[in-house]
Amino acid sequence: MTQKLIKFSNHLYYLTPSHVTDRPVLGAIVGKKHVLMVDGGNSPNHVELFLRELEKQGVKPPSLVLLTHWHWDHIFGLSELSIPIIAQNKTIEKIKYLSGLSWDLASLNYRVQTDEEISFCADMMKKEYGESIEQIQVVHPTIGFNKELYLDLGDLSCRIEHVGGDHAEDSTIIYIEEERFMFLGDSTSCDIYAKKRKYTAGKLIPLMNRLEEYEAEWYLHSHTDAPITRQQFIQENQECRAIMNSIHKLGRDFLSIEQEVQSVFGRELTEDDKELLRYFLNGYEA
Ligand SMILES: [Zn+2]
């Protein structure tokens, strides 16, 4: 699957993700004075592709980069950049830890065996880097923040907020006011580092409520090809709320929950819905 640079508006560009080596979306938020890049990519090659595509479309190169969370696919391309890196304080702590690890194949495999790393990420790293996995460089961020940060890129206002969630406790979103557009990072994804992938009501409900409070018309998740509308976002959240309600009421009984959720949705559940339901049950059991 080829990645493409999409021009969403004069102020917003993003490179589509790749599921082949788990490359997330890379964004460019273009103000009069600054271009803010969203996320640092999964490798120098990934960032190089992004910079090249921006240049082709006549967009100024990024002058700042913001990280949405610490996961490898969002930070391993930072060595390709020489601009200030902005990150939430917990993201910085995690990155400092990662920079102390050895990034050769044997060490990576050992971390998978000892459950420090998951095979999904290790396999994707091997695919992205091939023979050159030892060249991975982990770069420390320049600027830290705790809860919120406001950036004026030149007639373009960005609100950056640490929101947390099941996927990563440092998850951060960025909202571009004039465009009513939000980069979600992976914040709304499940916990992939748990023994069984899971969502918990305790983390997801406050997260969804907070994200809906923004007046965003568009929400872009890091591993999807296109933003979804506010209406779609709210509908998906409502479906998650319905699943959580049923589990709260019916406990672990998959079939009864499935039946009840089906009647709320007004349709048969797809395989994706059933997977989602299992993640919620995993979170409930945990
Ligand atoms: Zn992630």
Side-chain angles (χ1 to χ4, degrees), residues 22 69-74 167-168 171 185-186 189 192-193 223:
D22 208 29
H69 62 302
W70 65 273
H71 288 165
W72 77 279
D73 51 322
H74 299 256
H167 185 74
S171 271
D186 292 356
S189 287
I192 58 169
Y193 275 89
H223 295 280

Side-chain angles (χ1 to χ4, degrees), residues 15 23 26 37 39-53 76-81:
L15 186 68
R23 288 180 171 185
L26 294 179
M37 179 171 170
D39 273 327
N42 79 346
S43 67
N45 286 343
H46 184 198
V47 171
E48 196 190 23
L49 171 69
F50 178 65
L51 297 178
R52 204 165 56 228
E53 291 300 314
F76 278 8
L78 288 171
S79 60
E80 189 65 21
L81 298 163

Side-chain angles (χ1 to χ4, degrees), residues 95-271:
I95 290 175
K96 284 185 176 166
Y97 174 74
L98 294 179
S99 72
L101 301 178
S102 299
W103 292 97
D104 56 86
L105 208 51
S107 305
L108 181 60
N109 288 338
Y110 179 76
R111 288 199 292 275
V112 173
Q113 277 165 21
T114 54
D115 291 332
E116 183 176 349
E117 185 53 274
I118 52 174
S119 51
F120 173 74
C121 292
D123 291 346
M124 288 295 178
M125 284 177 207
K126 290 172 196 170
K127 273 197 195 170
E128 175 70 29
Y129 286 88
E131 296 294 300
S132 56
I133 197 149
E134 288 183 27
Q135 287 168 22
I136 288 173
Q137 283 180 55
V138 183
V139 179
H140 291 183
T142 325
I143 301 163
F145 70 95
N146 193 33
K147 182 63 190 154
E148 283 175 308
L149 189 67
Y150 171 77
L151 290 181
D152 183 345
L153 303 178
D155 296 341
L156 202 58
S157 324
C158 297
R159 300 225 167 253
I160 295 162
E161 184 182 346
H162 169 229
V163 293
D166 285 299
H167 185 74
E169 63 167 355
D170 59 328
S171 271
T172 291
I173 57 92
I174 174 156
Y175 176 62
I176 304 105
E177 284 180 355
E178 290 82 352
E179 299 286 320
R180 299 182 74 173
F181 188 104
M182 184 182 288
F183 284 92
L184 290 165
D186 292 356
S187 61
T188 52
S189 287
C190 64
D191 179 355
I192 58 169
Y193 275 89
K195 277 252 176 276
K196 292 178 184 172
R197 291 188 169 200
K198 67 175 166 68
Y199 275 115
T200 61
K203 285 184 182 167
L204 188 62
I205 292 171
L207 175 67
M208 293 188 307
N209 293 344
R210 180 67 192 129
L211 298 177
E212 287 177 2
E213 275 169 23
Y214 280 85
E215 292 181 329
E217 283 300 333
W218 300 97
Y219 291 87
L220 179 60
H221 184 281
S222 286
H223 295 280
T224 57
D225 287 322
I228 57 172
T229 62
R230 175 174 195 81
Q231 196 189 357
Q232 282 172 293
F233 184 70
I234 290 174
Q235 170 160 358
E236 287 177 11
N237 290 349
Q238 287 298 79
E239 292 184 353
C240 289
R241 289 180 179 107
I243 293 173
M244 285 184 276
N245 278 338
S246 292
I247 292 175
H248 188 67
K249 212 163 68 184
L250 300 165
R252 284 152 220 263
D253 184 351
F254 188 91
L255 288 178
S256 317
I257 297 164
E258 188 185 358
Q259 270 182 358
E260 185 172 273
V261 171
Q262 226 151 242
S263 73
V264 177
F265 286 14
R267 59 173 165 82
E268 293 273 298
L269 297 194
T270 63
E271 279 312 306

